[in-house]
């Protein structure tokens, strides 16, 4: 079943899942990377795949570049200077952790 729009987090693991799971979707279906799509309260998740990276690092990552549909991802909503989520962590509560 084709979708009308695909939204994805700029986290590496999310991009990997999106590109692999939705590789059969028609190219006309846009994939938009949205910086606000990130789960909270997962301090135990560490590493580049679970934290923000600068956009240039994501786009230059050789493992991402070989994924189907990676070059179709629209990164226009992602700040090119940073994909850091430290500004969002202030909204977490102790219950989220």
């Amino acid at each position: 079943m084709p979708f009308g729009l695909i939204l994805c987090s700029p986290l590496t693991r999310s991009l990997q899942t999106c590109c692999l799971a939705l590789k059969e979707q028609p190219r006309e279906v846009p994939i938009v990377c949205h910086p606000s799509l990130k789960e909270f309260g997962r301090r135990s998740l560490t590493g580049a795949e679970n934290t923000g990276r600068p956009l240039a690092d994501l786009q230059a990552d050789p493992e991402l570049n070989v994924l189907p549909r990676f070059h179709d991802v629209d990164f226009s909503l992602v700040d090119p200077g940073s994909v850091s989520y430290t500004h969002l962590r202030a909204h977490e509560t102790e219950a989220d952790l």
Side-chain angles (χ1 to χ4, degrees), residues 1-84:
M1 177 172 93
F3 296 95
L5 173 68
I6 300 166
L7 296 174
C8 181
S9 163
L11 297 178
T12 300
R13 65 182 172 78
S14 296
L15 286 162
Q16 291 167 329
T17 300
C18 177
C19 290
L20 291 171
L22 301 170
K23 66 183 177 186
E24 301 300 324
Q25 291 296 311
R27 287 213 181 291
E28 298 80 41
V29 178
I31 300 174
V32 177
C33 193
H34 198 292
S36 295
L37 297 175
K38 183 213 175 266
E39 69 277 348
F40 291 96
R42 303 300 296 245
R43 284 197 181 169
S44 61
L45 297 177
T46 59
E49 70 278 3
N50 294 309
T51 58
R53 293 195 285 167
L55 181 56
D57 290 355
L58 287 173
Q59 292 175 317
D61 187 318
E63 291 182 16
L64 291 175
N65 274 281
V66 297
L67 294 174
R69 304 243 16 224
F70 179 71
H71 295 283
D72 297 332
V73 177
D74 176 358
F75 288 99
S76 64
L77 297 176
V78 178
D79 178 358
S82 176
V83 186
S84 171

